[in-house]
Amino acid sequence: MRLPILTLTAIAALFVAADASAQTYDPNYPVCMHVYTPGGFGGGGGDYFDCSFTSLPQCRATASGRSASCDVNPYYRFDQPPQQPRRRHKKQH
């Protein structure tokens, strides 16, 4: 009876130990590019999202010629003001 329970516990541990992905969408930008990367021998594909675009045309220009697609960011808060570029402050001596 112990063997089936240990086997099930080991299988459950493998599923729990699988890669946990962090949040893939940046809620500060309204458009994301989904980049598809080919899976090598044994899987190994590493698709990722680049959510740094302010418009679909901007994203599509970047995705042109790549294995990628552009979509509206489902986590973008449309009620927030637009992002302002960060200003770099020069160090004063």
Side-chain angles (χ1 to χ4, degrees), residues 16-79:
V16 171
D19 289 341
S21 46
Q23 182 176 353
T24 56
Y25 297 98
D26 183 351
N28 296 317
Y29 293 94
V31 178
C32 294
M33 178 174 60
H34 184 184
V35 180
Y36 306 97
T37 57
F41 179 73
D47 294 3
Y48 65 92
F49 289 88
D50 178 4
C51 296
S52 61
F53 300 97
T54 56
S55 68
L56 280 170
Q58 178 192 29
C59 178
R60 288 180 181 142
T62 305
S64 177
R66 300 172 70 179
S67 179
S69 65
C70 297
D71 295 304
V72 174
N73 185 349
Y75 295 100
Y76 179 70
R77 294 188 343 227
F78 286 96
D79 59 345

